[in-house]
Amino acid sequence: MVDHTLSRVIRNPNPQYKANGTKSYVYLLNKYKFSPTQPGPYSLGGSVQQKGKHYLGRLFGRPAHLQRVLQKRSEAAATHEAVPAEDQQNDSLYLSPVTIGTPGQVVFSPKLSKTSGHAVFDPTKSSTFKKTPGSTWQITYGDGSSASGSVGTDNVTVGGLTVEGQSVELAEKLSAQFSSGVGDGLLGLAFGSINTVKPKAVPTPVENMITQSDIPKTSELFTAYLGSYKDVKDVDHGVSFYTFGYIDETALAGQTPWYCPIDPSQGFWQFKSDTASVNNTKINRAGNTAIADTGTTLALVDDKTCAAIYKAIPGAKYSNRDQGYLFPSNTPLDKLPVVRFDVGGKEFAVQKEDLAFASAGNGMTYGGIQSRGDLPFDILGDTWLKGIYAIFDQGNKRFGAVVRADATQDPSVPE
């Protein structure tokens, strides 16, 4: 039964985050394992991996498999080399408060050797923690970075509600790419089919909110409202938040949400996106799909659409060095195009201020929309999501949106 007060979960700007276009793009190459279709130093190469025993210089045991490995081209040596951690940027633009256990704690495991600067979750100090015998988890990216550990259950509190017996993945090994971030943990909002707990996958927090009736049967959903430091003078003061179990009426601003069905079979919030438009010129993309991802800062779309967007900006160009599209930082608002993406039959625009993602130096800006490479779907991250109030309706398997229009637009980026 729902017997608690549901409230906003504030998304606080990460004080250590500094936008870097190329590093964010490289991070997404690693996360989604796609091959670039535009030139640049970074790519995914094949590496044969096999586990087993060595005998007379050979490796016997399990069948070999080809793993896609992130690599960087060295112009000096005309070879490919491993990508260092400093070439990537975790997309932790926002942070939200979550507590685990009784009494509540957040979030790193005390079994880690390096937890400096992080709040640490110690299961021995929680009266409601229970270890899950035999369960483990592991995440490995193409550059060799990884995180792994054990699993237990405990109470997780977020947004005015407590999810009882939520599976918690305790990190016992963690690469520097993860431990160096300012956040203390991750709370997944995709579907449970893609979690890595073995031998049996576990329900996500939202799935448990539904089965435990922590949220109303009529509102088995969560929402995301993404603001920006650029919006501090607007009515909402640039606030960012999630809600669980209800739709914020203030954020709707009197509008009726547009809904479209989703396909969750790959674990994502995926919907049809058959068209895009640039300054009202339609781009037909029959059969195209997109996913909405609050954990991605950029928007990644097909090459045809990318080219049309930047063709509409005076002085824009593709940079091999930056592996992305750039445009002049002094471009006035009236020279920036109106870019829209289809959400199951209705297009929603990217705010003009969000077309500018980060300074690329020399008076140029790294664009917030870039190539998706050979990915078969678009990734509509924060660049696009800042233009809407997003409704992730898990109970009805649909995605909803209303326009979130700021009164003022600021296309500048910090140098």
Side-chain angles (χ1 to χ4, degrees), residues 67-332:
Q67 181 178 358
R68 304 184 82 185
V69 179
L70 186 65
Q71 58 190 14
K72 180 179 181 180
R73 180 172 178 79
S74 170
E75 295 296 340
T79 60
H80 288 88
E81 57 191 28
V83 177
E86 58 266 24
D87 278 20
Q88 303 178 64
Q89 180 173 39
N90 191 304
D91 274 8
S92 298
L93 178 56
Y94 299 97
L95 302 169
S96 296
V98 177
T99 60
I100 301 175
T102 308
Q105 308 171 51
V106 288
V107 172
F108 265 39
S109 167
K111 294 185 179 181
L112 289 169
S113 59
K114 296 180 180 180
T115 58
S116 177
H118 289 282
V120 175
F121 171 66
D122 187 345
T124 65
K125 295 180 180 178
S126 172
S127 62
T128 47
F129 179 83
K130 295 179 181 179
K131 185 175 176 59
T132 306
S135 288
T136 59
W137 65 278
Q138 181 175 8
I139 298 172
T140 303
Y141 287 128
D143 63 343
S145 63
S146 64
S148 62
S150 58
V151 182
T153 61
D154 210 332
N155 296 342
V156 175
T157 301
V158 58
L161 60 85
T162 297
V163 183
E164 297 181 352
Q166 173 62 46
S167 290
V168 179
E169 300 175 18
L170 300 171
E172 297 174 3
K173 294 181 181 179
L174 204 64
S175 296
Q177 290 92 325
F178 294 98
S179 60
S180 60
V182 70
D184 299 310
L186 298 172
L187 190 144
L189 295 175
F191 289 87
S193 58
I194 59 174
N195 80 48
T196 65
V197 174
K198 294 182 178 181
K200 183 180 179 180
V202 297
T204 67
V206 175
E207 288 170 342
N208 277 333
M209 289 176 192
I210 292 172
T211 58
Q212 296 178 16
S213 298
D214 291 321
I215 54 181
K217 290 291 183 184
T218 55
S219 299
E220 295 177 342
L221 53 81
F222 65 94
T223 75
Y225 186 92
L226 307 187
S228 167
Y229 71 92
K230 298 179 179 181
D231 303 332
V232 292
K233 295 182 180 179
D234 289 335
V235 174
D236 62 10
H237 303 296
V239 68
S240 297
F241 61 84
Y242 288 112
T243 69
F244 293 89
Y246 76 100
I247 298 172
D248 191 289
E249 292 296 327
T250 302
L252 286 179
Q255 303 174 81
T256 299
W258 167 265
Y259 288 103
C260 72
I262 61 162
D263 174 7
S265 60
Q266 297 186 66
F268 303 123
W269 288 88
Q270 190 164 6
F271 46 81
K272 290 183 177 180
S273 185
D274 287 331
T275 66
S277 64
V278 180
N279 287 337
N280 294 321
T281 298
K282 193 78 72 176
I283 301 170
N284 292 314
R285 310 186 301 164
N288 189 69
T289 62
I291 69 170
D293 183 6
T294 60
T296 295
T297 52
L298 299 170
L300 303 185
V301 302
D302 65 278
D303 286 333
K304 177 182 177 181
T305 302
C306 253
I309 292 168
Y310 291 99
K311 184 178 180 180
I313 304 177
K317 63 179 183 178
Y318 184 85
S319 166
N320 290 9
R321 185 199 68 177
D322 298 286
Q323 200 150 349
Y325 285 94
L326 314 180
F327 63 88
S329 300
N330 61 357
T331 304

Side-chain angles (χ1 to χ4, degrees), residues 1-47:
M1 295 294 294
V2 180
D3 58 358
H4 40 249
T5 301
L6 302 176
S7 60
R8 293 179 175 184
V9 182
I10 298 300
R11 285 167 56 110
N12 299 301
N14 180 346
Q16 295 184 16
Y17 184 86
K18 183 176 181 179
N20 182 297
T22 306
K23 289 184 178 182
S24 287
Y25 191 74
V26 173
Y27 170 79
L28 294 177
L29 281 174
N30 215 355
K31 178 179 178 180
Y32 284 101
K33 300 292 188 294
F34 65 91
S35 292
T37 50
Q38 298 295 322
Y42 300 96
S43 63
L44 288 180
S47 174

